[in-house]
Amino acid sequence: MRIDIISVLPELMESPFQTSILKRAMEKGLAEVHFHQLRDWSTGKHRQVDDEPYGGGAGMVMMVEPLDKCISELKSQRNYDEIIYLTPEGETLNQKIANTLSIKENLMLICGHYKGIDQRVRDLHITKEISIGDYVLTGGELAACVLADAIIRLLPGVLNDEQSALTDSFQDNLLSPPIYTRPEEYKGLKVPEVLLSGNFGKIEEWRYEEALRVTRERRPDLLSEDF
Ligand code: 6GU
């Protein structure tokens, strides 16, 4: 998979892809992430990429021309499965969206800043808008990292068996059951007997019941969603 990310602050997104599991995914050639500095497509002498909104009002708007030029150039080089604009106005990211995007070949992510992007960029190019939750960030960069992380970890070969994505919270619309490691007792708190029993049928049953209990207590909304 290849992900192209367009931003005025690409340096903000470098370290997540140079660390730990995502770094390994890059090194193994399972994912490629390419950053593009939007200012490189600005024609103005100050490399301007934002301007005042028509009709007035607070805040700046990201101009149509640099974004259109950048996106068009990338589009001339390969076919993108989705061109995604990260914005609080988008569909809220969930595991199902991450799963769907993880089977694509080429994705383009557009990070907004200021009050957002000129509507005509959306009309011309954007195929999907995604938000990472109901709160406002200073820009789309951290959201783009969140989205890319959620997608890349699902690519075959990125996680090993111990890290397997198949047993994640949300992969079956259930939260994870409690987990324990050594020691068997700590400050009077004991590991549930069943986990020490060696009876894997019983253990799986216990984990499922606990996952249901935790989900019912914390996120009953997940149980009524079809997945
Ligand atoms: Cl995608 N962008 C910004 N700026 N804020 C957000 C967001 C995205 N998702 C949640 N808040």
Side-chain angles (χ1 to χ4, degrees):
M1 161 175 298
R2 176 182 168 120
I3 304 178
D4 288 276
I5 307 183
I6 302 174
S7 161
V8 288
L9 290 170
E11 64 275 14
L12 193 59
M13 295 177 279
E14 277 161 18
S15 62
F17 302 98
Q18 292 168 358
T19 312
S20 188
I21 293 172
L22 297 186
K23 178 187 181 180
R24 284 271 297 166
M26 308 295 142
E27 287 170 352
K28 286 193 194 168
L30 301 171
E32 274 177 46
V33 177
H34 297 265
F35 297 107
H36 305 277
Q37 169 55 265
L38 179 61
R39 290 192 195 281
D40 294 345
W41 279 268
S42 167
T43 48
K45 51 182 168 187
H46 303 294
R47 304 227 294 166
Q48 188 182 353
V49 294
D50 61 321
D51 206 342
E52 292 160 347
Y54 278 117
M60 300 292 270
V61 179
M62 287 175 75
M63 295 157 67
V64 62
E65 194 181 359
L67 275 168
D68 175 46
K69 283 187 165 149
C70 180
I71 296 168
S72 295
E73 185 172 323
L74 291 175
K75 272 174 136 178
S76 74
Q77 294 162 359
R78 56 187 48 76
N79 287 322
Y80 287 91
D81 299 290
E82 299 283 3
I83 300 182
I84 301 168
Y85 174 42
L86 283 308
T87 169
E89 291 128 49
E91 184 182 358
T92 308
L93 180 61
N94 57 30
Q95 193 60 48
K96 187 175 174 179
I97 296 173
N99 290 349
T100 303
L101 293 175
S102 74
I103 61 173
K104 308 294 187 186
E105 273 312 307
N106 293 295
L107 300 175
M108 195 191 303
L109 309 184
I110 315 296
C111 304
H113 256 266
Y114 321 108
K115 282 286 158 193
I117 63 176
D118 190 301
Q119 178 60 35
R120 291 166 293 190
V121 179
R122 289 165 141 160
D123 299 340
L124 285 169
H125 296 297
I126 302 299
T127 62
K128 202 176 200 48
E129 303 198 358
I130 292 178
S131 162
I132 63 162
D134 293 341
Y135 45 84
V136 180
L137 303 170
T138 54
E141 283 78 10
L142 297 178
C145 291
V146 167
L147 176 59
D149 183 301
I151 293 169
I152 292 170
R153 68 185 290 283
L154 295 174
L155 301 176
V158 171
L159 299 185
N160 58 35
D161 278 350
E162 291 95 85
Q163 302 161 333
S164 171
L166 295 174
T167 56
D168 288 342
S169 279
F170 291 109
Q171 204 51 274
D172 47 11
N173 244 22
L174 289 178
L175 301 181
S176 294
I179 53 169
Y180 299 85
T181 186
R182 284 180 286 197
E184 273 183 41
E185 183 175 340
Y186 187 75
K187 293 188 172 174
L189 299 173
K190 290 185 174 140
V191 174
E193 205 64 56
V194 60
L195 297 178
L196 311 173
S197 69
N199 183 336
F200 293 104
K202 272 261 182 296
I203 291 170
E204 278 314 294
E205 191 182 325
W206 180 86
R207 286 185 170 149
Y208 180 67
E209 290 304 325
E210 285 293 295
L212 269 179
R213 178 185 62 77
V214 170
T215 308
R216 230 181 273 119
E217 284 172 11
R218 300 183 177 201
R219 294 292 307 277
D221 57 300
L222 292 176
L223 296 171
S224 49
E225 250 175 59
D226 50 9
F227 207 64

